[in-house]
């Protein structure tokens, strides 16, 4: 198994309020867990650091809202302005992109397990296909923290593992 823990720890360590979107910066309480509101930027940075689609990764998102009794309800709510989203990344499994385990660098912001089975695969919002400005800042911080050599080794291992699994299960590895 490829060691993802150092990358996840570095992402969490390098999250800061300047990486929050304007909307989330207004909503996140100062005493909230450090990962709160950072799901999109953290998942996007993780996706790009680990090799993205070449490594069989799939960004996933789930829209949700809070019911009057404080429970989380997935899907659109009665007031779209109050809807929230949560982002994470899925690993490949058996040669299938995004069919594996959930990797959620900001799972600690929720007091209960997130309903990942309700999410869908989506592309990130950056129109050019590369990392967004905020994700690029986080990626640079992680690179400074872990070093390019370590990150290249992890990324290459992820990509090669996915290609091997595609060949094993009879998928086109291109």
């Amino acid at each position: 198994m490829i060691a993802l823990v150092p990358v996840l720890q570095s992402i969490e360590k390098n999250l800061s309020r300047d990486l929050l979107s304007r909307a989330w910066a207004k909503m996140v309480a100062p005493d909230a867990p450090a990962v709160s509101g950072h799901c999109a930027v953290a998942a996007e940075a993780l996706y790009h650091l680990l090799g993205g689609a070449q490594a069989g990764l799939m960004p996933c998102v789930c829209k949700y809202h809070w019911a009057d009794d404080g429970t989380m309800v997935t899907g659109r709510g009665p007031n779209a302005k109050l809807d929230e989203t949560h982002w994470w990344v899925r690993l490949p499994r058996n040669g299938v992109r995004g069919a594996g385990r959930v990797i959620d660098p900001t799972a600690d912001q929720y007091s209960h397990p997130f309903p990942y089975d309700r999410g869908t695969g989506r592309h990130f919002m950056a129109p050019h296909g590369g990392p967004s400005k905020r994700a690029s800042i986080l990626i640079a911080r992680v690179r400074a923290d872990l070093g390019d050599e370590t990150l290249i080794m992890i990324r290459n291992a992820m990509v090669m593992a996915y290609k091997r699994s595609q060949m094993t299960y009879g998928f086109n590895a291109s």
Side-chain angles (χ1 to χ4, degrees):
M1 180 66 180
I2 299 162
L4 303 180
V5 172
V7 179
L8 292 166
Q9 288 174 334
S10 183
I11 285 173
E12 183 174 350
K13 178 176 101 173
N14 285 291
L15 293 173
S16 55
R17 290 192 73 82
D18 65 305
L19 295 177
L20 291 170
S21 67
R22 278 190 217 138
W24 277 103
K26 293 176 188 174
M27 293 190 310
V28 173
D31 61 341
V35 296
S36 295
H38 287 99
C39 64
V41 69
E44 185 182 2
L46 180 68
Y47 175 83
H48 289 290
L49 284 164
L50 297 182
Q54 288 182 320
L57 305 177
M58 174 73 70
C60 295
V61 65
C62 182
K63 186 178 287 280
Y64 66 94
H65 61 279
W66 297 100
D68 292 338
D69 65 0
T71 59
M72 178 190 291
V73 180
T74 58
R76 293 178 187 232
N79 182 348
K81 290 181 182 180
L82 298 177
D83 287 350
E84 298 180 22
T85 57
H86 183 59
W87 288 85
W88 63 92
V89 174
R90 275 197 179 274
L91 296 174
R93 185 178 68 210
N94 298 340
V96 179
R97 180 176 176 228
R101 199 172 99 215
V102 167
I103 305 296
D104 185 352
T106 64
D108 289 346
Q109 67 184 306
Y110 298 102
S111 59
H112 295 86
F114 193 84
Y116 298 109
D117 61 316
R118 302 298 309 265
T120 57
R122 291 281 189 266
H123 294 286
F124 291 109
M125 295 171 264
H128 51 77
S132 66
K133 184 189 286 188
R134 291 183 302 125
S136 294
I137 292 168
L138 182 54
I139 289 168
R141 291 175 184 176
V142 172
R143 287 177 65 197
D145 191 26
L146 297 179
D148 284 334
E149 186 175 311
T150 297
L151 290 169
I152 289 169
M153 186 173 59
I154 292 170
R155 177 188 173 99
N156 287 345
M158 295 286 297
V159 171
M160 291 308 300
Y162 178 54
K163 288 183 184 225
R164 276 194 303 275
S165 73
Q166 285 184 309
M167 288 187 281
T168 299
Y169 290 96
F171 294 99
N172 180 2
S174 59

